[in-house]
Amino acid sequence: EGPVSKEPIAIPRMKPHWLAELCTDICLSATGHAEESIQFRASSLIFELFWQLSQQGRCKGNISVVASVFVPFIPKVLSHIDYLSSLPAKGQLRKDILPCVLFVLQSAPVGLVRALWRKLAKRAEGKSLGRDSADKYGGIIGSGTGIGSNVALSSLLPLSQTSQINEDFAMDEE
């Protein structure tokens, strides 16, 4: 068993699909609009987009490819988390956007999601290590080095592929 070739497979550089980025950016921006009907329409458009593409992906057997196109949606939703958390628990915006996030998290390739979490953890470095931050951010003291952090993408892929993925998800200077 195992790979047919012992040579590493070249993984193409990850680039978000421009149309997926455009649609999600516009709709997420519109969810913060002052007019409630525009908010609801924008969130329902996001939900319809994700629902339709997830159903097509299930039928064609390429659901992980479809979900991987929308991995950049996760940091975008996380940047709106303060607004989303201020909404009612059973509000329409939450009902529409959170299933989309769950679809991406459940269906995207595990290595891609791990690389994204590492990128996000590096950006938030230092926020969960102090005692006062545990109260502020709701974490457990010492959780910055928690269980499961020792599982790396490098244990799943050859070194050449791991370095390529790490370069693709290199931290942006923002």
Side-chain angles (χ1 to χ4, degrees):
E1 313 297 304
V4 175
S5 173
K6 295 195 183 238
E7 295 182 24
I9 299 170
I11 298 176
R13 188 159 191 79
M14 295 292 293
K15 292 188 291 186
H17 191 275
W18 67 271
L19 187 55
E21 290 286 307
L22 183 66
C23 291
T24 56
D25 284 347
I26 290 172
C27 289
L28 272 178
S29 296
T31 59
H33 197 274
E35 182 67 35
E36 193 174 76
S37 64
I38 294 174
Q39 291 177 354
F40 292 162
R41 184 63 186 144
S43 68
S44 68
L45 283 173
I46 290 176
F47 183 77
E48 290 172 21
L49 173 70
F50 277 78
W51 175 257
Q52 182 67 28
L53 291 175
S54 70
Q55 293 304 309
Q56 286 178 0
R58 283 187 179 93
C59 289
K60 294 180 180 178
N62 62 355
I63 193 163
S64 64
V65 174
V66 171
S68 66
V69 169
F70 290 103
V71 167
F73 181 70
I74 303 297
K76 292 176 185 178
V77 170
L78 290 175
S79 69
H80 289 84
I81 201 72
D82 290 333
Y83 175 66
L84 289 172
S85 64
S86 69
L87 298 172
K90 294 185 179 182
Q92 188 63 40
L93 289 177
R94 280 187 171 186
K95 285 182 180 180
D96 287 339
I97 292 174
L98 293 180
C100 299
V101 172
L102 290 176
F103 162 70
V104 174
L105 291 176
Q106 288 177 341
S107 303
V110 175
L112 195 58
V113 175
R114 283 184 182 164
L116 175 66
W117 286 137
R118 272 198 304 277
K119 178 182 177 180
L120 294 173
K122 284 181 183 176
R123 283 186 183 168
E125 192 171 312
K127 289 188 178 179
S128 65
L129 298 177
R131 290 192 180 275
D132 58 339
S133 66
D135 293 333
K136 184 176 180 182
Y137 295 104
I140 299 172
I141 296 172
S143 66
T145 59
I147 299 171
S149 62
N150 57 357
V151 176
L153 183 62
S154 59
S155 65
L156 302 175
L157 295 173
L159 184 59
S160 61
Q161 291 178 353
T162 305
S163 62
Q164 178 66 39
I165 290 174
N166 289 337
E167 288 174 12
D168 293 340
F169 282 102
M171 221 168 79
D172 300 331
E173 297 297 323
E174 293 181 16

